[in-house]
Amino acid sequence: MWLDEGPAAHGWVDGQVWTAARVRTLIGRTFHLSYSVCGVTRLLHRMGYSVQMPARPAAERDEDAITAWREVTWPEVKPSGRRPARSSASRTKRA
């Protein structure tokens, strides 16, 4: 199967992993069909493929920077959780 050949065999040399977006593109090139990324994910799952996670964290990962961002930056940009009140866009008054 073409997925077993790897991404490099199909033109992706920058990363040696299949993503749903890459598989979507490959399906389009091969079969002239259009799928959404979500549809490709479901299709791959039905075919027996699963999401893979890295065996170890990236060497560049900075735990101190991550902790600082979670404690300082995230509370500042985090949405309040409250939805805006319903309002009317009509300029006419109710009778």
Side-chain angles (χ1 to χ4, degrees), residues 69-82:
W69 186 89
R70 281 186 184 144
E71 293 175 356
V72 177
T73 308
W74 176 240
E76 293 175 7
V77 298
K78 178 180 167 185
S80 68
R82 293 179 54 187

Side-chain angles (χ1 to χ4, degrees), residues 3-81:
L3 288 179
D4 296 332
E5 297 170 356
H10 298 281
W12 288 282
V13 294
D14 58 336
Q16 292 303 304
V17 295
W18 281 113
T19 63
R22 287 180 175 181
V23 174
R24 175 183 186 259
T25 301
L26 187 60
I27 289 171
R29 288 179 189 167
T30 306
F31 301 107
H32 304 288
L33 295 172
S34 178
Y35 272 94
S36 67
V37 172
C38 183
V40 169
T41 303
R42 281 190 241 129
L43 179 65
L44 289 171
H45 184 72
R46 281 195 304 252
M47 293 173 62
Y49 288 91
S50 64
V51 176
Q52 301 294 309
M53 300 301 289
R56 60 188 180 282
E60 300 85 10
R61 187 176 171 100
D62 184 355
E63 292 297 334
D64 294 333
I66 294 169
T67 302
W69 186 89
R70 281 186 184 144
E71 293 175 356
V72 177
T73 308
W74 176 240
E76 293 175 7
V77 298
K78 178 180 167 185
S80 68

